[in-house]
Every structure is written in C-alpha cells, then in structure tokens.
Amino acid sequence: MSSQPWYQTFFGEDYLQIYSPFLPASRTQHEVSAIEALLHLTPGMRILDVCCGDGRHALPLAQRGYAVTGLDLSAALLDRARQETARLHLNIDWLQQDMRSIPYEDTFDAAINIFTSFGYFEQEEDDLLVLKEIHKALAPGGIFLLETVYQPRVVRAFTPQSMIRYDNGLIVMEEREIDLLKSRNNVRITLLHPNGERIEHRQSIRIYTLTELISLINQVGLQVTGYYGDLDGNALTLDSRLVIVSQKPTPSQ
C-alpha cells in the first residue's frame, strides 16, 4: 500500500469497481430529487459539490438547470466527470482541489457534501478548516448539506470482516477496526481479481456524533436548521445515516 494519505490514492478505478454496482442511476436520481426538496432548491441556483467524485450528483443537478461547480482531489474521477459532461453537452465547472482550500468567496447558493466525504483527515482541525472554507464559499443565506455516516450506527452494526463476490468475479474483502480513542473507523480493503491480481487499500474515517458535528458547524458561523436520518428528511435514529442542514447567516441575521 502507498505511504501517501489514503484519500489521495483510493479514489480511482478501484473505488468505482467497489461502489458502482450499489449506486444505480435510479438511486442517484432519487437522491438528487431528495436534495432538491430538502434544500428547497430552484433551477438557476449556484451549487458547489464538495468531493464530487465522477459527478454522480453534479451531473443530474446540471441537467435539472442548476449552475454546478464540482470540486474533488481525484484527477481520475474528474476526468470521467469531464468526459460525461461533454457527452451530455452540459456546462459544469470541474476543479481539482483539496477541500481544505476552496477558492471561492460569497459565491454559492448551496453546497453539498454527500456519501461520507467528510472526516478523512487525521486532525479534527482539518475537518474544521473544511467547514470554514465551505462557509466562505457560500453566499450570505447559502445552505450547506452534509450527508455522512453516524457514529452510533457504525458502532452498532460493526463487524470485523466482510467479503463480497461481484458478478464479474472480483472479490472484495474488508477488515475493520474502530479506534475508540480517536473515533475512527479504519478499514483494510483487499481486491482479488479473477486473474489473481491482488490490490490493497485502506480507509480511515472519523465517525462523528451529532453533537460533535453541530459544534464544528456552529464554530465556523453556520447555523444548523435541521438534522435527519437520510436525504428524504426522515428522523435520525441510532441505525440511520446522518444528514445536517445549515445556513450561512445574512447580514441582517
């Protein structure tokens, strides 16, 4: 495995092989509709997709009439996003950038961070910096949607190993360990290809409580307006994911 931080090497073809079978177009369209409803979006709004990947949400948002900017660190995933943008004749700004440094100020009506794309960094100060950058990028009154794993669910559903065999013969094994002191879910991922090739990756994600995330969000000046168990706005439970909606105050607030 590489000595580089895991988030610099994982998000490429192997990532897509692992997750794409579980992310059909129907699921994506449902999620985009849910995001529109939850944030009360209207076409023409300027949206920043932080950690956009290959454009799974950014592309359909652009198709629905939003002015979308996608930001991600992965050159491989952004290349795929650009190819699909050209194929669909869309106009999307794609930016390869670390989410701790977002080069916009008072620009976007909404920002989204979807599918557990938060908590990657070793230090909590870096996660706080991400939120500061998102706050800076939002226009006054702009809305931020964070959708991620929820610590109680991760702990309650914890299993130390799992294995999935895909239709194409790929086998993916995961070995997990929760660092209780640092509140991190550490995973070793092994891909076994039908030709015998073996590839290993690791993940390490900070698993926050609702209280901790709201504290970080409040620290950067965003005001929490709601929290939920999914993008459909269902109630948060011990077995759900975590969705938090917050807003950048206007000068009058």
Side-chain angles (χ1 to χ4, degrees), residues 35-50 58 61 66-71 102 104 106-114 133-146 222 244-248:
I35 291 168
E36 286 184 295
L38 195 61
L39 301 187
H40 305 289
L41 301 179
T42 55
M45 280 185 166
R46 300 158 298 175
I47 300 177
L48 174 65
D49 187 351
V50 181
L61 282 167
Y66 299 96
V68 181
T69 297
L71 180 147
I102 300 175
Y104 298 97
D106 295 335
T107 300
F108 297 97
D109 301 302
I112 61 174
N113 182 262
I114 305 293
E133 290 291 291
I134 289 171
H135 174 275
K136 182 190 72 174
L138 286 171
I143 303 165
F144 173 48
L145 170 63
L146 173 64
L222 293 167
I244 302 178
V245 178
S246 57
Q247 186 172 30
K248 181 174 181 175

Side-chain angles (χ1 to χ4, degrees), residues 105-163:
E105 187 170 352
D106 295 335
T107 300
F108 297 97
D109 301 302
I112 61 174
N113 182 262
I114 305 293
F115 200 54
T116 316
S117 300
F118 188 81
Y120 291 174
F121 306 113
E122 290 291 332
Q123 303 300 321
E124 186 175 293
E125 290 79 8
D126 284 316
D127 291 337
L128 186 64
L129 180 56
V130 172
L131 295 173
K132 288 179 179 177
E133 290 291 291
I134 289 171
H135 174 275
K136 182 190 72 174
L138 286 171
I143 303 165
F144 173 48
L145 170 63
L146 173 64
E147 190 269 345
T148 189
V149 292
Y150 186 33
Q151 188 191 89
R153 176 184 179 177
V154 174
V155 173
R156 285 161 62 91
F158 176 78
T159 55
Q161 295 106 12
S162 69
M163 183 180 73

